[in-house]
């Protein structure tokens, strides 16, 4: 990856794409993200602070994109998964299903991230966990006593995924019922070791109590961004003020959020050929195509992406 790719590299990429076999399953309870990969990503040029990646489609169309440098081998970085499923009685919040964490942990490991799972944290522990993984001096107590994961200079990116209850106004719920502003989490992701590197946040949580109608869509409003770090991407499982739903159709995914399931499968199946925003657009498409039932009503769920990325993020390129 340290050298420029020539015509032979691009030809090899086309050969890989031409030999790609349809990996979709015949079982009705398994989601098919993409029937056939149409392109692969190849590095073709080095720039001072980024690279140029070329995607060559089977239809002969070639596109070049400015992209972040990503490690060719070894780990990309840390993927921290925080999963809150068991809430105290005093919180007034229902317990959540536990399938999300399994899907996300498996997907991030498949993408070569050092994946760490933390479960059932209160609002202070959520913030402290992010501080610790960023290498900040925070006391390691309780559920964080043995927490040792930390970003390093050689990492090319960082992923944080949070699955919990949420409330309107960009509030994430701890297991004791206390709330933590998303902005407070995001601000902790400022880290010198991740300067000019992608910082990716996935949030599987309700953002209010309303359900989106089947036909009529409400744009809602995005939470205040606050002092966000550079090179940041955030995808929420739903619009501000709207709910997120569990998978009710596919037996293999019952107990998971519709968004978490779509995210895990899309990343796993498309990371070798598609940039991150392209994959997350596919996630949004999959989730929005689902017709869901909630309290005897037909509803929709619409993920939302916001970012200030400077380049494309290709997790894998040749």
């Amino acid at each position: 990856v340290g050298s420029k790719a020539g015509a032979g590299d691009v030809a090899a990429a086309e050969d890989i794409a031409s030999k790609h076999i349809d990996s979709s399953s015949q079982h009705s309870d398994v989601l098919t993200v993409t029937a056939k990969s149409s392109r692969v990503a190849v590095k073709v040029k080095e720039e001072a602070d980024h690279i140029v990646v070329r995607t060559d489609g089977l239809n002969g169309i070639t596109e070049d994109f400015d992209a972040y440098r990503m490690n060719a081998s070894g780990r990309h970085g840390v993927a921290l998964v925080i999963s809150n499923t068991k809430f105290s009685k005093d919180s007034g919040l229902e317990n959540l299903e536990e399938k999300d964490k399994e899907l996300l942990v498996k997907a991030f490991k498949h993408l070569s991230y050092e994946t760490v799972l933390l479960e059932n944290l209160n609002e202070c522990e959520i913030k402290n966990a992010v501080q610790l993984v960023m290498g900040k001096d925070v006391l390691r107590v309780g559920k964080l006593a043995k927490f040792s994961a930390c970003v390093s200079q050689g990492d090319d990116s960082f992923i944080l995924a949070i699955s919990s209850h949420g409330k309107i106004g960009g509030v994430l719920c701890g297991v004791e019922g206390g709330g933590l502003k998303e902005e407070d989490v995001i601000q902790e992701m400022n880290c010198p070791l991740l300067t000019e590197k992608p910082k990716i946040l996935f949030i599987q949580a309700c953002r209010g109590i309303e359900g989106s109608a089947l036909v009529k869509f409400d744009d809602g409003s995005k939470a205040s961004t606050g002092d966000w770090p550079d090179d940041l991407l955030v995808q929420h499982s739903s619009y501000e003020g709207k709910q997120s739903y569990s998978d009710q159709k596919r037996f293999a995914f019952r107990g998971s959020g519709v968004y978490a399931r779509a995210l895990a499968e899309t990343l796993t199946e498309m990371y070798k050929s598609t940039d991150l925003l392209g994959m997350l657009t596919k996630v949004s498409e999959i989730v929005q195509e689902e017709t869901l039932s909630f309290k005897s009503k037909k509803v929709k769920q619409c993920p939302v992406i916001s970012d200030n990325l400077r380049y494309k993020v290709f997790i894998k390129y040749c």
Side-chain angles (χ1 to χ4, degrees), residues 165-183:
H165 280 296
K167 299 178 181 179
I168 195 168
V171 176
L172 297 167
C173 296
V175 293
E176 297 169 1
L180 174 66
K181 294 284 288 184
E182 292 174 11
E183 297 163 13

Side-chain angles (χ1 to χ4, degrees), residues 4 8 10 22 53 71 86 88 100 104 154 179 192 196 277 286:
K4 297 182 180 180
V10 175
D22 185 346
V53 169
N71 297 332
K86 300 184 187 304
S88 69
D100 289 355
L104 295 175
E196 298 186 347
L277 276 175
I286 293 167

Side-chain angles (χ1 to χ4, degrees), residues 23-34 103 106 247 249-254 261-262 265 269 286 290:
S23 60
S24 61
S25 173
Q26 300 301 313
H27 297 289
S28 60
D29 64 347
V30 176
L31 173 70
T32 300
V33 174
T34 178
L103 295 173
K106 183 177 180 180
D247 196 301
K249 294 181 179 180
R250 297 174 177 83
F251 178 79
F253 298 104
R254 287 178 188 171
R261 178 256 298 166
E265 289 218 334
E269 294 193 22
I286 293 167
E290 292 278 356

Side-chain angles (χ1 to χ4, degrees), residues 58-209:
L58 299 179
N59 55 6
I61 298 176
T62 297
E63 295 180 276
D64 287 0
F65 300 99
D66 291 340
Y68 291 95
R69 287 189 181 87
M70 304 294 280
N71 297 332
S73 60
R75 82 174 198 176
H76 286 296
V78 177
L80 175 58
V81 179
I82 297 175
S83 174
N84 284 350
T85 59
K86 300 184 187 304
F87 294 80
S88 69
K89 292 183 179 180
D90 292 340
S91 72
L93 299 170
E94 295 181 356
N95 289 342
L96 298 175
E97 302 288 351
E98 300 195 16
K99 192 75 175 182
D100 289 355
K101 64 183 180 185
E102 300 171 13
L103 295 173
L104 295 175
V105 166
K106 183 177 180 180
F108 297 147
K109 285 184 177 180
H110 185 75
L111 269 57
S112 298
Y113 282 86
E114 178 190 345
T115 305
V116 182
L117 172 65
L118 293 174
E119 299 184 74
N120 301 318
L121 305 184
N122 62 35
E123 65 277 10
C124 293
E125 290 169 333
I126 294 173
K127 184 174 181 178
N128 288 347
V130 179
Q131 292 173 326
L132 285 171
V133 80
M134 292 296 154
K136 299 179 181 179
D137 188 15
V138 179
L139 189 62
R140 302 172 191 267
V141 296
K143 296 174 183 176
L144 303 178
K146 297 182 179 180
F147 183 73
S148 60
C150 187
V151 299
S152 67
Q153 186 66 52
D155 292 351
D156 57 40
S157 54
F158 169 72
I159 293 176
L160 172 61
I162 301 176
S163 178
S164 186
H165 280 296
K167 299 178 181 179
I168 195 168
V171 176
L172 297 167
C173 296
V175 293
E176 297 169 1
L180 174 66
K181 294 284 288 184
E182 292 174 11
E183 297 163 13
D184 293 337
V185 174
I186 290 169
Q187 288 170 6
E188 296 299 340
M189 294 168 66
N190 268 315
C191 174
L193 294 177
L194 294 174
T195 300
E196 298 186 347
K197 299 175 183 180
K199 293 161 280 290
I200 304 157
L201 172 59
F202 300 119
I203 299 177
Q204 163 72 44
C206 290
R207 304 180 74 193
I209 59 173

